[in-house]
Amino acid sequence: MIGFYNYTVILTYVSLIVSSLGICFAGVGKPYHAIFCLIISGICDMFDGKIARTRKHSTPAEKRFGIQLDSLCDLVCFGVLPAMIGVNLAGASPLLTYAVWVLGALLILCALIRLAYFNVTEEMRQDTVSGRRTSFEGLPVTSAAIIFPFAFIVSLLCPAPVGEWIYPAFMLTTAVCFITPFKVSKPHKKGIIIMSAIGLAEIAGLIFLMLR
């Protein structure tokens, strides 16, 4: 079989499968399930890089394969899935529906550009320097795993018609930030703890909204 098969890619595959299920949930009108899938994919992404770095003797081809695989997975998990959730939330308003369709396409396009740019610059960086990257240029696409659950919760808490436009507004802002050239420091242990706490708070909020 073509490709490279070892334990370092398992979590990436799990993330993709979960997000694919999330897309299906969004397509049949189950946004809560889809949002949970987005969060789970974000958790998988948080640790897949750490697992990959435990393998000390990866070949250059395996490293490049990992970069491409991770980015292709991220496009589905943090580009297509959030866009599909937005389409599901559009409701019956024709204006809102058309706006979300356009914004969904824009979000996916900007995520694609951001990931392709990252792949090129990361391969160039690895050819010239060693060590881990310390910062990113533009908003990392994986931040969608935190941004859109928050947008979803806020949209449900706000009264209509304002609440209906919250998620689309986040789609537009996030898409623009994906391709805006500003520096974002790569999170270390403290940042990961903070993001984990935010994720847990979002999960608690979603459960509360489902049960109320």
Side-chain angles (χ1 to χ4, degrees):
M1 294 186 292
I2 63 173
F4 299 95
Y5 300 91
N6 54 64
Y7 70 91
T8 63
V9 299
I10 292 174
L11 212 54
T12 303
Y13 291 153
V14 170
S15 178
L16 178 64
I17 292 169
V18 170
S19 285
S20 298
L21 292 174
I23 292 169
C24 295
F25 283 133
V28 297
K30 294 185 177 181
Y32 282 97
H33 296 70
I35 285 288
F36 275 117
C37 288
L38 177 59
I39 293 174
I40 293 171
S41 291
I43 294 171
C44 291
D45 180 80
M46 189 180 299
F47 295 103
D48 64 356
K50 292 178 174 57
I51 293 174
R53 285 190 292 272
T54 63
R55 195 164 189 265
K56 302 301 182 182
H57 303 293
S58 297
T59 66
E62 287 174 328
K63 291 179 180 178
R64 292 177 186 273
F65 177 79
I67 292 172
Q68 300 297 331
L69 184 70
D70 190 61
S71 289
L72 290 169
C73 178
D74 287 350
L75 179 62
V76 176
C77 299
F78 310 116
V80 178
L81 177 54
M84 283 295 297
I85 295 170
V87 171
N88 178 257
L89 296 175
S93 168
L95 176 61
L96 182 58
T97 298
Y98 293 138
V100 170
W101 288 353
V102 172
L103 292 174
L106 178 66
L107 181 69
I108 296 170
L109 175 61
C110 291
L112 175 67
I113 294 170
R114 168 69 176 76
L115 291 166
Y117 181 79
F118 171 82
N119 284 4
V120 171
T121 56
E122 180 62 14
E123 289 192 359
M124 292 172 61
R125 187 190 71 84
Q126 290 188 9
D127 287 340
T128 56
V129 298
S130 59
R132 295 173 57 187
R133 178 185 286 268
T134 59
S135 65
F136 299 106
E137 189 173 5
L139 183 69
V141 171
T142 53
S143 62
I146 291 179
I147 292 171
F148 289 107
F150 176 77
F152 179 75
I153 292 170
V154 173
S155 69
L156 294 179
L157 293 176
C158 290
V162 175
E164 296 175 344
W165 289 94
I166 296 294
Y167 196 97
F170 272 83
M171 292 173 72
L172 175 60
T173 304
T174 304
V176 172
C177 288
F178 281 162
I179 57 173
T180 300
F182 59 89
K183 294 290 184 181
V184 178
S185 298
K186 189 171 184 178
H188 297 290
K189 183 179 292 185
K190 185 177 179 181
I192 292 172
I193 292 173
I194 293 173
M195 288 190 295
S196 299
I198 293 172
L200 290 173
E202 290 176 341
I203 291 172
L206 288 167
I207 293 173
F208 171 76
L209 290 172
M210 288 179 68
L211 298 177
R212 68 172 182 172

